[in-house]
Amino acid sequence: MFEIIENRMLVPNVHEMTVHAPDVAKSALPGQFVIFRSEEEGERIPLSLADWDVESGIITVVYLNVGRSTAKLATLKAGQALPTVVGPLGNPMEIDYYGAVLCVGGCYGIASIYPIARALKEAGNKVVCVLEARSSFLLYWQEKLSAVADRLIYLTRDGSRGKRGHVGNLAEILHALPMRIDRVILNGCNYLMMRGSQETLPLKIKTMVTLNTLMIDGTGMCGVCRVTVNSETKFACVDGPHFDGHQVDWAELTQRRKAYLQEEILALRTTRPL
Amino acid sequence: MEQPVKKGLDLNRRPMPKQPVEVRRRNFEEVALGYDAKLAMEEASRCIQCKKPGCVEKCPVEVDIPGFIQAIAEGDFERGVRILKAKNSLPSVCGRVCPQETQCEGGCALHRKAGQIAIGRLERFLGDWEAAQPDFMLPEVAPPTGKRVAVVGGGPAGLTVAGDLVKLGHEVTIFEALHKVGGVLVYGIPEFRLPKRIVEREVEYLRRLGVKMVTNYVVGKTRTVDSLLEEYDAVFVGSGAGLPWFSEMPGNNLNGVYSANEYLTRINLMRGYTFPLAPTPVKRHVRVAVIGGGNVAMDCARTALRMGAETTILYRRSREEMPARLEEIENAEEEGVIFRYLTLPVRCIGDERGWVKGLECIRMELGEPDASGRRSPLPVPGSEFFLPFDAVIHAIGNSPNPLIPQTTPGIEIGRKGNIVADPQTGKTTKPRVWAGGDVVTGAATVILAMGAGRRAARSIHEYLTNPGEW
Ligand SMILES: Cc1cc2nc3c(=O)[nH]c(=O)nc-3n(C[C@H](O)[C@H](O)[C@H](O)COP(=O)(O)OP(=O)(O)OC[C@H]3O[C@@H](n4cnc5c(N)ncnc54)[C@H](O)[C@@H]3O)c2cc1C
Ligand code: FES
């Protein structure tokens, strides 16, 4: 069992949980993920590792309360325990010296981009972070990110903070920057990553995305995480989750994500207490 | 060496009660109900106690079969259990899932007259009899040796190694990737063939013997084999063959197309058949195709049937060539699974929303026997046709997961991604690392995995008590 240290809502519907999982913390690298179960017999929920500390053995994840299983997760309190925390899974994000890197995070991706931005910075890159949200009150972790980024750009749909717009304005943002960006990293919902990749394609900037597929085991055993990248089938959990955004078959990914929409709604409609 | 079959023998194999077809095809309860004591003793009394028993010769772990059968015939079930468990630590499991027809029962002297003793059913009877006793019959455990062994993977191979070594006084820890120990026994083989409580009981037995179990631990990710070697005197890798194959055809990534592993894991390990009670979702499909002809295909088809779907098995050869156990084929047929032989799917066809709506198939005919002696199927040109399905399950095989091979320098890997190990000892090319089960042989059987585990345990014990050259 894995003890919950803290579980709180950061901004509406976005929660941060810290858990004692020393073996995961010891091996974690930027861009890897974990799988949680919130209860016995519970569903396996893949979540990006947003932070970890080897010494205390504590890992941090940020999750969106979107379905029955994450709703259950949100009800848990410090001192309670999770039956499953397994990881770190997947490959780490490729980190090297590229020059200037633009990291874009939206919704939970604001948190998952953090360890990547930190590692890129440590590797000597100039790091610009773009935080995207519907409105300013949905932004979080600004302090953490500003500590590792050379520059922070806010992008809100209603213009309540920073630039008014969304990821569809990425090309504009890139043009307006004083330096040339050598690599773009996108993290958030699949729409954000797809739309962002479309923006960088004509600019010929290498763009990495962290795919968010359905998963069960996370070890290459079931194949539900299949994606088509560069016309080849890959298992996102073991071959990814990071891929070149210009090579991903986004239409297929979007459809595959929706496979259990009806069942997810059904699970939410039950009146049984969580 | 075959015994002369005398006149006046009782050749009447006692049938095992089963749930009626009409009932069982709609539930996940166990199909076969097992012998009661009276039936077991009757069946055991038919054994002629051969001097050179052919059954033992064909048992991969050399159980003293006539010995435990004699004990049953005398009504001394406790002695029977002891004899059986001296060689096979998972009798309730093996009695249910071993291919007895080609092993022990195939070697029975009465086989020629089609009256072979139902050894599997008797084995199961003893295992279940023991399970029904108020407490475990725990064997003696040797005093602690101070040696530590890490076992990677909690399938039949790993469980066997752990059980054998803990009894010899070593400290054993199993590291399992999933949240439950048992391997294919818990995520693959369905409840109606092997109830999960039976596996849970065997696991509990090992726990009581002192085996430590760490679940949610992916060796190669959470920690490497090399790092385990710093803390443990020996490492056994029994990580199975969990990487699913998909037949090469367009449309495999449509929604509704599954690997057998995904389909079975959702339903067995995650208990999806109770959805929405258990939160892992499972689709209620109407018409399901299962591609393949092995035990895994039978399990998928019979599961899909129980989930309410009309289910068809598509196999490219004919019934005679199907690798599944006859008993499972017959069960599937009785329950109403449709079999289409000499049929090869060549394309998954999808609708506008990205869901599979059917398969384009081609008819096959059998050509000359190939190297394996099986007649190889050849497509009949121009015979393409369409079959409507809203789900397609690939049950055409698995290979070893590359996670450990990739993260363990110095371990030799075979052509098929398997770990190379000495068949007699389980030793790999990497000092202090042993391997066995499906990760070495490719997808095989429970009993072969257990046999490999037993031999590896012997070799590990030898090494730990008397370390020498690798
Ligand atoms: C659906 C199905 C039906 C079958 N039916 C039969 C049958 O009727 N009779 C029969 O004899 N055989 C049957 N088999 C085959 C049989 O189950 C296997 O041969 C047997 O389980 C192999 O045992 P194993 O211990 O080598 O591996 P497995 O049972 O595969 O166990 C391996 C374990 O290792 C774990 N693991 C993998 N990688 C790691 C890692 N990196 N770190 C930690 N843990 C890891 C896995 O999660 C798993 O629990 C069937 C198989 C399937 C899939
Ligand atoms: S999640 Fe099962 S193979 Fe990737």
Side-chain angles (χ1 to χ4, degrees):
Chain A
M1 297 294 257
F2 300 84
E3 194 197 340
I4 298 170
I5 308 300
E6 202 185 356
N7 189 20
R8 62 183 179 115
M9 190 159 84
L10 287 172
V11 295
N13 239 19
V14 177
H15 300 250
E16 174 184 311
M17 186 185 268
T18 49
V19 183
H20 191 239
D23 289 327
V24 179
K26 212 182 276 172
S27 305
L29 289 168
Q32 289 189 295
F33 65 96
V34 282
I35 287 182
F36 277 23
R37 279 187 320 139
S38 49
E39 56 193 321
E40 276 311 328
E41 303 262 304
E43 203 176 355
R44 295 172 64 93
I45 315 168
L47 300 167
S48 294
L49 272 166
D51 205 356
W52 56 90
D53 179 49
V54 180
E55 215 149 283
S56 63
I58 291 172
I59 62 166
T60 306
V61 295
V62 168
Y63 59 97
L64 217 53
N65 180 348
V66 276
R68 151 142 173 216
S69 295
T70 45
K72 174 75 194 178
L73 205 56
T75 64
L76 301 176
K77 307 240 165 0
Q80 287 183 292
L82 298 170
T84 293
V85 171
V86 58
L89 300 170
N91 298 302
M93 175 67 90
E94 190 182 283
I95 303 282
D96 208 333
Y97 174 74
Y98 304 109
V101 184
L102 186 80
C103 299
V104 184
C107 78
Y108 71 83
I110 294 179
S112 5
I113 208 94
Y114 167 72
I116 294 169
R118 180 174 61 189
L120 285 166
K121 181 74 198 160
E122 281 165 10
N125 294 283
K126 206 163 208 29
V127 177
V128 180
C129 285
V130 177
L131 309 192
E132 195 222 48
R134 287 183 169 273
S135 186
S136 59
F137 73 92
L138 294 170
L139 292 164
Y140 59 92
W141 277 29
Q142 294 96 319
E143 276 172 30
K144 279 184 92 143
L145 277 156
S146 58
V148 297
D150 295 283
R151 186 166 162 201
L152 226 54
I153 298 173
Y154 296 101
L155 187 59
T156 51
R157 297 217 183 157
D158 60 2
S160 52
R161 174 123 198 226
K163 188 176 163 54
R164 181 167 164 276
H166 60 64
V167 69
N169 304 95
L170 196 59
E172 271 169 59
I173 293 173
L174 282 161
H175 283 307
L177 284 172
M179 74 287 246
R180 190 198 133 73
I181 292 292
D182 302 289
R183 181 173 280 235
V184 171
I185 291 174
L186 301 166
N187 209 315
C189 63
N190 288 327
Y191 177 79
L192 178 146
M193 295 188 285
M194 174 184 75
R195 194 66 191 83
S197 301
Q198 287 167 354
E199 290 286 299
T200 58
L201 180 65
L203 302 175
K204 299 199 170 62
I205 306 176
K206 171 97 167 177
T207 299
M208 296 302 290
V209 295
T210 303
L211 296 187
N212 175 348
T213 64
L214 298 179
M215 287 194 188
I216 301 178
D217 56 300
T219 65
M221 182 267 269
C222 74
V224 69
C225 59
R226 303 196 292 293
V227 287
T228 302
V229 181
N230 207 6
S231 314
E232 261 182 68
T233 295
K234 299 277 178 192
F235 285 10
C237 68
V238 285
D239 301 323
H242 315 289
F243 295 101
D244 183 331
H246 298 152
Q247 298 182 345
V248 171
D249 181 340
W250 293 102
E252 179 189 280
L253 177 66
T254 310
Q255 271 164 351
R256 288 186 64 78
R257 275 276 355 170
K258 285 194 211 143
Y260 290 93
L261 213 54
Q262 277 173 356
E263 285 73 14
E264 279 166 31
I265 293 167
L266 177 72
L268 280 175
R269 271 171 45 194
T270 153
T271 51
R272 216 161 57 100
L274 281 168
Chain B
M1 115 195 54
E2 261 182 32
Q3 316 293 317
V5 175
K6 286 182 236 119
K7 285 230 165 62
L9 281 173
D10 180 355
L11 290 173
N12 176 21
R13 253 165 93 88
R14 300 299 187 268
M16 178 161 56
K18 282 188 193 176
Q19 275 197 70
V21 170
E22 270 320 304
V23 179
R24 75 179 196 239
R25 63 196 292 269
R26 288 288 175 254
N27 70 38
F28 277 84
E29 308 291 312
E30 191 169 16
V31 167
L33 302 171
Y35 282 156
D36 58 15
K38 179 170 166 286
L39 270 174
M41 286 169 71
E42 271 177 40
E43 180 66 18
S45 308
R46 298 201 303 114
C47 175
I48 54 172
Q49 294 289 322
C50 304
K51 293 271 158 356
K52 279 192 193 151
C55 51
V56 179
E57 228 163 82
K58 295 194 90 176
C59 173
V61 296
E62 296 167 18
V63 168
D64 173 9
I65 295 166
F68 83 71
I69 291 184
Q70 181 68 38
I72 295 179
E74 291 167 14
D76 187 350
F77 303 144
E78 194 173 326
R79 189 177 98 230
V81 170
R82 262 201 313 275
I83 296 172
L84 182 53
K85 283 199 130 179
K87 288 286 166 72
N88 182 338
S89 46
L90 306 171
S92 290
V93 173
C94 290
R96 285 172 169 83
V97 304
C98 268
Q100 288 101 7
E101 62 279 9
T102 59
Q103 300 178 5
C104 52
E105 293 180 18
C108 176
L110 305 185
H111 188 249
R112 271 190 293 146
K113 304 239 158 188
Q116 67 275 25
I117 307 294
I119 302 169
R121 296 172 190 170
L122 292 173
E123 177 184 25
R124 167 185 165 151
F125 167 77
L126 280 183
D128 290 358
W129 177 85
E130 191 209 1
Q133 302 312 302
D135 210 352
F136 292 104
M137 296 162 48
L138 288 180
E140 270 185 45
V141 172
T145 59
K147 300 287 182 189
R148 313 182 71 203
V149 182
V151 172
V152 181
L159 293 175
T160 305
V161 171
D164 286 5
L165 290 177
V166 84
K167 281 183 235 165
L168 293 165
H170 306 299
E171 185 188 321
V172 184
T173 308
I174 295 179
F175 292 94
E176 166 57 49
L178 293 170
H179 55 268
K180 271 198 192 129
V181 171
V184 169
L185 308 181
V186 295
Y187 78 72
I189 303 181
E191 182 75 18
F192 55 82
R193 206 148 70 77
L194 177 65
K196 298 299 153 270
R197 65 184 150 73
I198 289 170
V199 185
E200 275 157 23
R201 191 175 185 282
E202 301 294 357
V203 170
E204 182 53 31
Y205 169 80
L206 292 179
R207 241 189 223 118
R208 293 272 288 273
L209 282 179
V211 175
K212 291 191 199 144
M213 303 198 192
V214 181
T215 49
N216 305 304
Y217 210 97
V218 184
V219 174
K221 286 285 175 189
T222 313
R223 210 172 153 181
T224 58
V225 169
D226 278 337
S227 154
L228 288 173
L229 283 170
E230 289 169 17
E231 211 182 302
Y232 293 87
D233 300 292
V235 172
F236 173 82
V237 179
S239 53
L243 189 77
W245 296 346
F246 288 86
S247 62
E248 272 181 38
M249 62 174 168
N252 269 340
N253 293 353
L254 289 163
N255 281 340
V257 180
Y258 304 86
S259 71
N261 281 357
E262 180 192 347
Y263 191 71
L264 293 171
T265 300
R266 279 186 188 277
I267 293 187
N268 296 321
L269 181 71
M270 307 311 292
R271 299 221 171 252
Y273 63 93
T274 66
F275 177 81
L277 212 59
T280 302
V282 171
K283 286 272 167 201
R284 294 274 168 181
H285 294 293
V286 181
R287 234 180 255 117
V288 175
V290 178
I291 306 173
N295 286 322
V296 181
M298 299 306 134
D299 283 349
C300 290
R302 297 173 69 202
T303 300
L305 194 86
R306 284 162 171 76
M307 293 297 292
E310 178 191 293
T311 306
T312 307
I313 284 191
L314 304 173
Y315 182 56
R316 64 199 175 114
R317 305 183 202 228
S318 64
R319 190 175 188 270
E320 287 65 51
E321 285 85 22
M322 272 212 293
R325 292 183 60 194
L326 189 60
E327 188 186 332
E328 302 305 331
I329 299 172
E330 284 170 356
N331 276 330
E333 285 171 344
E334 270 174 41
E335 289 167 10
V337 172
I338 302 162
F339 286 76
R340 277 184 171 266
Y341 297 109
L342 296 168
T343 303
L344 180 75
V346 289
R347 191 156 65 99
C348 286
I349 298 170
D351 65 14
E352 58 294 338
R353 294 173 310 122
W355 279 88
V356 64
K357 66 176 182 190
L359 284 171
E360 184 182 309
C361 300
I362 190 162
R363 244 180 259 301
M364 309 294 276
E365 59 189 7
L366 291 181
E368 292 304 308
D370 63 11
S372 70
R374 287 201 298 183
R375 295 176 63 192
S376 50
L378 300 165
V380 180
S383 67
E384 290 86 354
F385 61 104
F386 176 83
L387 292 171
F389 294 109
D390 61 337
V392 172
I393 303 170
H394 288 259
I396 58 165
N398 287 300
S399 49
N401 190 313
L403 218 54
I404 291 179
Q406 280 166 2
T407 55
T408 311
I411 203 161
E412 189 185 332
I413 305 304
R415 217 163 31 86
K416 292 179 175 160
N418 54 303
I419 294 181
V420 177
D422 181 325
Q424 292 317 311
T425 61
K427 281 183 174 179
T428 69
T429 51
K430 190 176 174 76
R432 294 196 288 131
V433 179
W434 285 256
D438 283 5
V439 70
V440 171
T441 56
T445 61
V446 171
I447 192 72
L448 289 175
M450 289 175 56
R454 168 128 306 160
R455 289 190 297 277
R458 210 176 286 149
S459 163
I460 293 172
H461 179 62
E462 254 164 46
Y463 181 83
L464 292 180
T465 44
N466 187 12
E469 291 277 299
W470 186 251

